[in-house]
Amino acid sequence: MKKEMTEQEAYLRLTVLCAQAEHCQQEMRDKMKRWELDEAVQNRVIARLMKERYIDDERYTRAFVKDKILYNKWGRRKIQQGLWMKRIDDDIQQRVLDEVDNEEYLNVLKPLLNQKRKSIKAQSDYELNQKLVRFALGRGFTFDIIRQCLNVEECP
């Protein structure tokens, strides 16, 4: 028989996690659900973590967006989908994503497309561009940014 976790124990475990890395409310709720904590307890712990600034969804969103662009080479759409899955408010998502300059996306997408271009087998330029567009759309980039990057004069 396993011992039930107290509210204080849950709080302390979550503060340790939050001190190590950025987390959002939903991740903390998921953890507490796995620990089978009552919903009222979950709400009190979340409120306390927010009050003491261990969790801040806007701060988390900024870190998430920055990491996904720089390290995962994701576009705006895929990032939005990831944030939606974390149940981040739409207004926070929009505010943070609007701060990202299109130039940043271009600086991520250009080398990605140039790298991909080397490995694609195509019969024509049209087919090559179609495959590159499909690849970039899958990474979450919007069509207008992809088109900007595929214009020969734009890409180095």
Side-chain angles (χ1 to χ4, degrees), residues 17-48:
L17 281 173
C18 291
Q20 293 170 346
E22 221 38 88
H23 292 283
C24 64
Q25 282 186 53
Q26 191 58 42
E27 290 172 338
M28 298 297 102
R29 284 191 191 284
D30 291 344
K31 282 227 178 290
M32 289 189 283
K33 277 182 189 146
R34 281 196 298 274
W35 297 338
E36 298 172 2
L37 288 175
D38 186 57
E39 196 167 331
V41 171
Q42 288 180 33
N43 291 335
R44 285 195 302 272
V45 170
I46 291 289
R48 188 172 169 195

Side-chain angles (χ1 to χ4, degrees), residues 120-125 127-129 131:
I120 289 180
K121 305 223 180 323
Q123 304 296 319
S124 65
D125 284 348
E127 186 183 347
L128 175 72
N129 282 342
K131 289 182 177 186

Side-chain angles (χ1 to χ4, degrees), residues 1 20 72 79-80 106 119 124 131 133 144 146:
M1 190 176 119
Q20 293 170 346
N72 297 51
I79 292 171
Q80 269 180 318
L106 288 173
S119 67
S124 65
K131 289 182 177 186
V133 166
D144 56 324
I146 298 168

